[in-house]
Amino acid sequence: MNKATTIGSSLLITWACLFVTVTAFGVFFPAVTTVAQSRGRDAPGATSALLGSGQFTLGAAASPAVGLFGTHSPAPMAAVMTVCLGLAVIAGLSRLSHSNRFKSCSGQAS
């Protein structure tokens, strides 16, 4: 693999970034799954099915998006991963904001 393949960065930098990303997924996915399962404890089977189908659907949508931007560099993969991460952060922050507003409206302490 030559330098043109990795958009001017070395192969070591590309693999280091992938290592950090995959490690973060390994840390956060179980935590997110645990929180979701605890929220849906009344119907654990349905909760698990929704989580699995949601992950499958998002993965199926992201894969062609990477391919649309080219297959000769890791830049499209990095771009799609960054967009997905940004959307996840926005969703998490909006959920956190919604949760805090609900607590303040119902008179519960934060």
Side-chain angles (χ1 to χ4, degrees):
M1 187 177 284
N2 60 23
K3 281 192 173 198
T5 303
T6 58
I7 308 286
S9 66
S10 70
L11 186 61
L12 180 64
I13 292 172
T14 301
W15 278 100
C17 291
L18 283 172
F19 176 78
V20 169
T21 302
V22 171
T23 301
F25 285 151
V27 170
F28 292 115
F29 271 14
V32 169
T33 302
T34 301
V35 170
Q37 289 285 24
S38 70
R39 300 282 233 159
R41 62 182 162 263
D42 294 334
T47 303
S48 182
L50 285 172
L51 283 170
S53 63
Q55 290 172 357
F56 183 80
T57 302
L58 290 174
S63 296
V66 172
L68 287 174
F69 296 109
T71 58
H72 299 294
S73 77
M77 177 185 64
V80 170
M81 288 171 69
T82 302
V83 167
C84 290
L85 177 62
L87 291 173
V89 167
I90 290 169
L93 290 175
S94 68
R95 179 71 184 142
L96 181 64
S97 173
H98 175 73
S99 175
N100 287 340
R101 274 187 275 148
F102 177 73
K103 285 180 182 177
S104 66
C105 289
S106 65
Q108 295 178 354
S110 297

